[in-house]
Amino acid sequence: MKLTVHTFASLDGVMQGPGSPEEDPSGGFDRGGWVVPFMEEDFGRVVDSWFARTTELLFGRTTYDLMAGYWPQVTDPDDAVAAVLNGSPKHLVSTTVTAPSWANTVSVIADDVAGRVRELTNRPGGELQVHGSWRLVQALHEAGLVDVYRIIEFPVVVGEGKRLFRDGATASSFDVVETQVLGSGAVYRVLRPTPFTRGAFSVEDGRETVALDV
């Protein structure tokens, strides 16, 4: 399976509490709900397309707890996202939860996260998807395990909060697989990690040149 990461991000890279003020107030965060003003048809279409690719799901504990408290209440048979979230096999990364309550949670990963996740991706299937799960995503990035990022970046600066890539994160470049500008002005990108590259500008014989240093 491919390991794919899905998240919403502000212009300043914050991914904390996009859905409501009460979603994740940890660390004193009081600006939750910043995605809601940008909800429209294109957003729903993109998110639906994510879950149409799901084989299994992988969550960090905070995101798992939030989703487990919400999505089982959505019983509308026409809600494709709820059907996938509630019905698909789920894996939880946690050192504190021993008896997960969300139906179809098939494993709890308490140690050797990178090794256990690598074992999951070596199994047959389409995508092992991560949604939210800030700390887990950072650990997977550092381990070089993420195959694809799917990110919707919203035209808002939150100013503080949990960021997708922390200061000191392992450097990476990306192939841009897909880009869409949504009706709200949000930008959807599908990114594939590649080795970090850089270059330099210089002047030779009076002309500006560019050299890439791979």
Side-chain angles (χ1 to χ4, degrees):
M1 289 186 285
K2 289 183 178 180
L3 180 63
T4 58
V5 166
H6 307 75
T7 195
F8 311 136
S10 66
L11 283 177
D12 52 339
V14 173
M15 57 182 291
Q16 184 172 358
S20 75
E22 297 80 21
E23 183 176 336
D24 181 9
S26 62
F29 185 69
D30 61 359
R31 297 178 180 176
W34 46 270
V35 160
V36 178
F38 304 99
M39 299 295 94
E40 41 75 47
E41 184 176 348
D42 286 345
F43 171 84
R45 172 181 52 78
V46 167
V47 172
D48 285 349
S49 75
W50 293 350
F51 289 99
R53 297 180 172 95
T54 306
T55 303
E56 300 184 14
L57 295 155
L58 176 68
F59 293 108
R61 185 189 59 79
T62 298
T63 299
Y64 178 92
D65 287 346
L66 288 166
M67 290 195 166
Y70 179 85
W71 285 105
Q73 302 177 72
V74 182
T75 57
D76 178 358
D78 295 325
D79 192 315
V81 172
V84 171
L85 284 169
N86 291 321
S88 297
K90 289 175 279 291
H91 307 272
L92 167 62
V93 176
S94 175
T95 58
T96 58
V97 177
T98 57
S101 59
W102 199 359
N104 298 306
T105 302
V106 296
S107 75
V108 177
I109 299 171
D111 55 20
D112 188 19
V113 174
R116 293 285 303 280
V117 171
R118 192 174 287 109
E119 289 175 2
L120 292 176
T121 59
N122 285 336
R123 298 162 54 215
E127 292 189 8
L128 175 63
Q129 293 192 346
V130 182
H131 295 266
S133 305
W134 162 72
R135 186 169 292 144
L136 172 60
V137 167
Q138 292 189 345
L140 297 173
H141 171 77
E142 294 302 315
L145 292 175
V146 180
D147 293 301
V148 173
Y149 289 88
R150 297 190 179 111
I151 302 169
I152 303 179
E153 183 184 74
F154 292 85
V156 60
V157 170
V158 179
E160 59 182 13
K162 300 173 180 176
R163 286 178 164 78
L164 176 58
F165 297 106
R166 62 174 177 81
D167 289 346
T170 296
S172 177
S173 295
F174 297 89
D175 285 337
V176 181
V177 178
E178 180 183 353
T179 301
Q180 296 181 42
V181 179
L182 308 185
S184 66
V187 178
Y188 171 49
R189 292 186 182 91
V190 180
L191 305 171
R192 183 180 298 121
T194 61
F196 175 72
T197 58
R198 61 182 178 176
F201 293 97
S202 63
V203 177
E204 295 182 9
D205 298 325
R207 295 183 178 181
E208 186 178 52
T209 62
V210 177
L212 292 179
D213 176 15
V214 177

